Amino acid sequence: MIRDRTWGSRLTDIGLLVILITITLTCVLPIWYTLVLSLSSNSAAASGQVWLWPVGFNLNAYTQILKDTQFFGSFWISVQRVALGAALNFVVVLLMAYPLSRTSRQFRARGILMWILVFCMLFNGGLIPLYLTVKQLGMLNSIWALVLVGGAQTLVFNVILTVNFFRNLPKELDEAALVDGAGPWYSLIKIYLPLAVPVLATITLFSIVYHWNEFLYGLIFMTREQYYPLQTYIQQMVVSVDPSTMSEDQYRRLSELSNRTLDAAKIFVAMLPVMIVYPFLQRYFIHGITLGSVKE
Amino acid sequence: MKRKVSMTGMVLLSAALMLGACGSPEKSAEPAAGEAAAPNSEPADPYGRYDEPTTISIGMQVDPTDKDLPAGDTPLDNQYTRQVKEALNVQVEHAFTASAANMRQKISLAIASNDLPDALVVNAVELRQMVAAGQLADLTEVYNRYASPEIKDIIEKTNGVALKSVTFDGKMYAIPGVQADADGIHIMWIRQDWLDKLGLEPPKSMEELETVARAFVEKDPDGNGSADTIGISGPQSGDGKMYANFLESKNNLYGFDPVFSAYGSFPGFWLDNGGSPVYGSIQPETKEALAGLRDLYAKGLIDPEMAVRAASDEPIINGKSGIFFAPWWMGYGPLTNAVKNNAKADWQAYALPLNADGAFQPHAATPSTEFVVVRKDYGHPEIPMKMLNNLFKNEMENTFDPSKGGPGFYPLRVVFAPSDEIEFTNKAVKEVLAGTKTKEDFADARSYKLLPSDLDSIKTIKQEPYDKWNIETWTPDADWGAWTRAYSMMVGGNPLVETEMEKVKSLIYEQTPLMESRWVNLKKMEDEMFLKIVMGVAPIDSFDQFVEDWKRQGGEQITKEVAEALQ
């Protein structure tokens, strides 16, 4: 590779590097800081002395996590939720997006259905009606409250994304399949599904990240801690409590329980699964799109 | 309104009928006949056991990191719930549980969706919402008939404040908890070792406060060679407040409450001005106090990062701050970590600075912030009262072993602390240390529940001389848990015991109806304006404009409403 050696282009290079490094740091530093905090001593963490390197290095926080059955219980609930939620999202999005990507002539109700979808994306009944609905359906304290309610919230966006992807695929493919005698199911599974891998990987990743990170529904639909997903479990630990209505033995609890290093360790462990899954799905983003299928 | 009252009456009547019809649990204690008729004011057995097993569903605060319970016990099955089952034949069920941080959200959801457990511990705002929504049972009769004499005694010793906070249209809709007065008195915590090093005295007046803060900032009290110390800590960003107010009247950490009262100013409180109520924040004294704070801030003597700092306890823990204002219990606050970090950090507390007349005149808090409420249609509205009676009785008799799960696991627990718990314990510890009394002399002071354990542990962590309280005379490493409580109780409690103080109470500690729609905006305007004035963003005379705006935007009507509420 031959480089243009003018000063202007060097300056541009340096400028770009600085900007990119800054952006990288804003992403990496919070994660690094959380890790450093989790490895420091608690009093150093509380006094704000910890910055880029652990102060009073120890692994106490991690040994404490290993003894915490609630942490692993919640971790397992989150894993189940992600597996169910992402699988359900995949199937439902695919089955909804394909018919909706047909023209109005092929599928008459398309226009109305799309409008309903967009309407639901923009307006909703609010939290209390949602709670009452879930309660009446008998889903309180059930993992399905998390999977279905959370899934429904992200479904519309994912469907619209996928519909648009399908519509951008060359019409000729569909026509060719039709001529060769493929029905709608055959062409969905043998033609559209393989071509849609990039978008399906994207929405699956969205769904995984959403289900893993979402904490509010866990808080609302679960009436016992033992049913909390991991992020709800962590949220209740790191949110600060207003002391103005507390009594003395509540402060005592609080002072015994306040443990920034342990919180940091839990946050760090909770980050790991998504950090591990990400690179595996990321390769599909680039892949697939480049596959040439038609010459125009 | 009238209709609601008669509805409540009908529901009560039917509840009473149901009670009479099904099993009449009080049979042994009183004649069953006539119970469903006119209100019964005869005292009933506060500890009466039910013949039939009875259940009550509650919402409960459970802390997820709490690992106190022995193996096999759960928040639903532990020494407390078993004792309740044993003593009252009442089975407790959880409608929901949540951590301290999320309890408010869970309760709001329950109120909004009218999906309530049988009984619940709520705060003042929630209580008012539930009364307005007609969701609560009238507990007047329950309280009169079932409350144990000890609990009645504590509630009535608050001069009617506790009862007033739960009475709406002449009816009691909740059982108020009562907490120690001390939480509402904000005092000055100061680095005694810095004062000694610089040859200074604790600042008694605002002028001396300025001198000391300047020395802390400029004379390098921590001796590290750089001018990196803070004179006076300020409120943190987000939830930090410059002063406690009538709705959140206690436990304001790192605010300026004593500074305001040194100017005779009580912002956020409703004060008595010759028989009519006035709002403290719009008084001329508040303008003076703000000018004083503005001056200190401009000179760099108040933490320059005040109100933007995420955690105000950090500079206190890492030895960069010299003065902060907070209640007595700071051992539970930042001081444990501060002393762990630097064993010589000698934080002492004083009831200072004084006002122009040389008096310490703090504002006083409401004794009641927690309330036990009962759902309107619940068949046994007296069960929560009986559970509280039972709790108080057994805490006095030391039935429970706190090492097998803290008292927070008792269902529907609210605190009934004698108002002078801190002061009493402080004096008792001093007398035992001086040898003039022994633990046995306090055997009958049973309502001071933690006193025996305080007296047992004090000599392991406090060394001679017993009349000095500097950090060198303590040995916290021997037992950090006991030290935290004892240091708070003694060092934080000393100013409360030793100072004559005339406490300024707010005329009311609850919202009036109009405040529900207006107060959030008025308070936001006040908070922003005062912060701007102190930090020098707005001129001091914008205070006058603020007073005008406050009155015009509903403050005047609210003041009238407060006056009516006090009639």
Side-chain angles (χ1 to χ4, degrees):
Chain A
M1 192 154 68
I2 299 158
R3 286 212 182 179
D4 189 348
R5 288 291 172 188
T6 63
W7 279 103
S9 84
R10 280 191 191 183
L11 271 181
T12 320
D13 278 358
I14 292 169
L16 280 175
L17 272 178
V18 168
I19 292 170
L20 289 177
I21 287 173
T22 314
I23 293 174
T24 313
L25 283 181
T26 56
C27 300
V28 173
L29 271 183
I31 299 175
W32 175 248
Y33 178 66
T34 311
L35 178 65
V36 165
L37 207 56
S38 72
L39 296 171
S40 298
S41 83
N42 199 25
S43 59
S47 65
Q49 292 169 353
V50 182
W51 178 217
L52 285 179
W53 202 250
V55 179
F57 180 88
N58 68 76
L59 290 169
N60 290 348
Y62 290 93
T63 47
Q64 263 179 287
I65 289 185
L66 287 177
K67 288 187 225 149
D68 188 345
T69 50
Q70 171 77 57
F71 181 84
F72 286 105
S74 290
F75 198 101
W76 176 234
I77 289 171
S78 274
V79 170
Q80 285 175 296
R81 177 185 182 179
V82 164
L84 285 170
L88 201 67
N89 181 62
F90 185 91
V91 173
V92 174
V93 167
L94 192 63
L95 293 183
M96 269 177 94
Y98 179 65
L100 288 174
S101 68
R102 307 296 85 190
T103 59
S104 304
R105 253 188 44 222
Q106 288 167 304
F107 182 31
R108 287 239 193 104
R110 180 182 180 275
I112 297 167
L113 286 174
M114 282 306 274
W115 272 112
I116 293 177
L117 279 185
V118 173
F119 184 84
C120 292
M121 191 162 77
L122 297 178
F123 306 100
N124 62 60
L127 199 56
I128 306 292
L130 188 62
Y131 170 80
L132 291 175
T133 310
V134 170
K135 183 174 183 273
Q136 296 300 325
L137 291 171
M139 291 199 298
L140 290 188
N141 290 335
S142 139
I143 187 142
W144 293 104
L146 304 175
V147 172
L148 294 179
V149 176
Q153 301 277 316
T154 49
L155 183 72
V156 178
F157 178 76
N158 288 344
V159 166
I160 290 174
L161 202 72
T162 314
V163 165
N164 285 331
F165 185 89
F166 281 162
R167 305 200 98 189
N168 285 334
L169 290 176
K171 262 205 313 279
E172 290 82 354
L173 277 175
D174 195 37
E175 286 164 3
L178 193 66
V179 168
D180 287 346
W185 280 104
Y186 197 84
S187 79
L188 167 65
I189 289 163
K190 288 285 176 183
I191 296 176
Y192 280 85
L193 182 59
L195 285 174
V197 166
V199 71
L200 292 173
T202 309
I203 59 151
T204 304
L205 189 66
F206 282 169
S207 173
I208 289 175
V209 172
Y210 172 82
H211 279 294
W212 187 261
N213 285 343
E214 203 281 328
F215 70 90
L216 184 67
Y217 293 134
L219 186 59
I220 300 217
F221 298 133
M222 303 295 128
T223 61
R224 310 261 195 291
E225 274 82 12
Q226 75 239 40
Y227 303 125
Y228 279 179
L230 188 60
Q231 300 297 345
T232 311
Y233 169 79
I234 287 175
Q235 181 265 355
Q236 63 179 344
M237 215 123 18
V238 295
V239 168
S240 67
V241 188
D242 176 13
S244 65
T245 57
M246 274 198 276
S247 62
E248 194 228 318
D249 46 57
Q250 284 171 304
Y251 325 134
R252 189 171 36 209
R253 297 236 66 78
L254 204 68
S255 69
E256 284 162 7
L257 301 176
S258 127
N259 191 332
R260 292 185 203 187
T261 55
L262 185 57
D263 290 347
K266 283 173 177 160
I267 293 169
F268 189 76
V269 174
M271 266 192 288
L272 285 178
V274 172
M275 277 163 62
I276 291 168
V277 169
Y278 224 102
F280 286 101
L281 286 175
Q282 208 174 19
R283 74 193 166 98
Y284 289 103
F285 290 175
I286 316 147
H287 214 66
I289 286 175
T290 51
L291 287 176
S293 52
V294 212
K295 284 189 176 141
E296 296 193 54
Chain B
M1 201 60 204
K2 219 171 197 166
R3 187 156 160 263
K4 201 166 88 193
V5 171
S6 66
M7 277 283 287
T8 319
M10 269 167 63
V11 168
L12 261 181
L13 196 70
S14 58
L17 273 167
M18 264 167 63
L19 217 163
C22 51
S24 184
E26 294 309 316
K27 234 170 218 164
S28 52
E30 66 202 339
E35 194 190 16
N40 188 339
S41 56
E42 254 172 66
D45 180 5
Y47 309 105
R49 191 174 192 275
Y50 292 86
D51 297 334
E52 303 283 316
T54 317
T55 58
I56 183 166
S57 76
I58 63 167
M60 175 123 176
Q61 186 169 315
V62 174
D63 229 300
T65 40
D66 196 329
K67 300 282 179 260
D68 271 2
L69 289 174
D73 276 9
T74 66
L76 207 46
D77 179 19
N78 53 55
Q79 55 170 343
Y80 300 102
T81 57
R82 286 191 292 266
Q83 195 273 341
V84 169
K85 174 81 180 146
E86 177 73 19
L88 300 174
N89 204 11
V90 167
Q91 181 70 45
V92 176
E93 284 171 5
H94 285 170
F96 59 80
T97 59
S99 67
N102 294 326
M103 198 63 194
R104 305 275 72 88
Q105 193 160 12
K106 275 282 184 197
I107 292 177
S108 297
L109 189 68
I111 296 173
S113 60
N114 198 16
D115 180 25
L116 296 170
D118 297 331
L120 197 58
V121 180
V122 299
N123 68 22
V125 176
E126 289 150 2
L127 171 65
R128 179 167 281 278
Q129 283 173 351
M130 295 171 97
V131 171
Q135 292 171 323
L136 297 182
D138 176 1
L139 298 179
T140 319
E141 195 188 320
V142 166
Y143 174 76
N144 288 336
R145 293 182 61 203
Y146 289 92
S148 71
E150 291 86 0
I151 287 185
K152 272 190 180 156
D153 186 49
I154 288 179
I155 288 180
E156 271 145 33
K157 266 193 188 153
T158 62
N159 299 324
V161 178
L163 278 181
K164 204 163 83 182
S165 60
V166 297
T167 306
F168 299 84
D169 293 331
K171 295 198 179 82
M172 258 181 98
Y173 281 103
I175 311 296
V178 176
Q179 298 176 13
D181 276 350
D183 292 358
I185 310 293
H186 299 83
I187 49 181
M188 178 174 72
W189 288 86
I190 191 163
R191 281 288 291 265
Q192 189 68 41
D193 51 332
W194 288 10
L195 282 177
D196 296 346
K197 187 177 171 189
L198 302 173
L200 293 162
E201 289 292 310
K204 293 205 163 40
S205 62
M206 284 308 295
E207 292 77 41
E208 291 177 31
L209 179 65
E210 186 177 332
T211 315
V212 167
R214 170 161 295 128
F216 280 2
V217 170
E218 290 171 359
K219 295 202 176 147
D220 190 26
D222 59 346
N224 69 348
S226 66
D228 55 354
T229 43
I230 295 166
I232 305 168
S233 276
Q236 62 195 23
S237 71
D239 58 352
K241 299 192 292 272
M242 282 206 279
Y243 43 85
N245 55 59
F246 74 107
L247 293 173
E248 296 163 306
S249 54
K250 58 174 74 168
N251 295 334
N252 183 31
L253 274 59
Y254 325 119
F256 302 121
D257 302 79
V259 174
F260 280 100
S261 51
Y263 284 95
S265 154
F266 301 93
F269 273 54
W270 289 92
L271 309 169
D272 183 12
N273 182 24
S276 56
V278 291
Y279 186 54
S281 298
I282 59 167
Q283 302 310 306
E285 291 87 1
T286 301
K287 187 178 176 182
E288 282 173 45
L290 289 172
L293 285 167
R294 178 193 172 91
D295 188 44
L296 288 176
Y297 185 84
K299 290 173 178 161
L301 308 182
I302 292 175
D303 182 5
E305 286 179 49
M306 125 186 187
V308 288
R309 197 182 278 284
S312 283
D313 58 348
E314 278 185 6
I316 294 163
I317 294 170
N318 67 23
K320 292 296 166 212
S321 174
I323 300 171
F324 67 96
F325 301 102
W328 64 278
W329 52 270
M330 285 302 107
Y332 297 119
L335 298 192
T336 299
N337 273 325
V339 175
K340 277 184 184 170
N341 257 354
N342 173 8
K344 295 200 166 64
D346 187 14
W347 284 100
Q348 295 294 318
Y350 296 94
L352 294 174
L354 307 175
N355 64 18
D357 302 332
F360 186 71
Q361 200 182 28
H363 55 63
T366 172
S368 299
T369 53
E370 301 173 297
F371 307 93
V372 176
V373 296
V374 180
R375 183 170 59 87
K376 193 162 75 173
D377 303 329
Y378 181 54
H380 297 282
E382 75 287 351
I383 289 182
M385 188 72 244
K386 283 189 175 182
M387 284 166 67
L388 293 173
N389 293 336
N390 178 60
L391 165 71
F392 195 76
K393 176 166 160 256
N394 286 289
E395 282 195 334
M396 282 195 301
E397 290 168 1
N398 283 322
T399 314
F400 302 120
D401 176 0
S403 68
K404 290 181 183 158
F409 284 108
Y410 191 94
L412 294 180
R413 179 174 194 269
V414 291
V415 175
F416 287 105
S419 316
D420 62 344
E421 185 180 6
I422 314 312
E423 293 86 343
F424 188 90
T425 310
N426 179 293
K427 286 180 195 156
V429 168
K430 280 182 189 159
E431 281 165 342
V432 169
L433 282 178
T436 54
K437 284 195 180 163
T438 62
K439 188 186 164 194
E440 284 67 38
D441 292 329
F442 295 101
D444 54 344
R446 288 189 308 178
S447 53
Y448 301 93
K449 289 162 303 211
L450 292 167
L451 186 58
S453 68
D454 289 337
L455 295 178
D456 281 339
S457 62
I458 186 72
K459 285 197 178 170
T460 62
I461 44 171
K462 178 75 180 88
Q463 310 305 326
E464 291 195 72
Y466 288 143
D467 58 341
K468 290 264 188 300
W469 304 99
N470 299 74
I471 192 70
E472 309 89 72
T473 69
W474 296 82
T475 44
D477 281 325
D479 182 348
W480 277 100
W483 178 84
T484 299
R485 179 169 163 88
Y487 195 79
S488 304
M489 200 61 91
M490 302 315 295
V491 175
N494 280 340
L496 307 178
V497 174
E498 290 159 7
T499 317
E500 279 286 313
M501 45 181 105
E502 188 195 329
K503 296 172 192 166
V504 175
K505 285 199 164 110
S506 182
L507 292 173
I508 57 167
Y509 288 104
E510 304 87 37
Q511 289 199 332
T512 61
L514 189 59
M515 284 188 207
E516 269 152 41
S517 55
R518 297 286 175 82
W519 197 251
V520 173
N521 287 335
L522 284 176
K523 183 162 184 309
K524 188 161 174 260
M525 179 170 82
E526 175 181 329
D527 291 346
E528 286 176 0
M529 181 49 79
F530 286 10
L531 203 58
K532 277 184 192 166
I533 291 177
V534 170
M535 298 179 85
V537 184
I540 182 73
D541 285 327
S542 54
F543 179 85
D544 303 324
Q545 183 59 42
F546 156 76
V547 174
E548 288 306 308
D549 292 346
W550 187 88
K551 284 182 179 163
R552 213 177 45 241
Q553 292 178 22
E556 200 141 25
Q557 284 157 280
I558 287 174
T559 309
K560 277 185 199 139
E561 219 179 47
V562 171
E564 282 163 26
L566 291 169
Q567 292 298 308

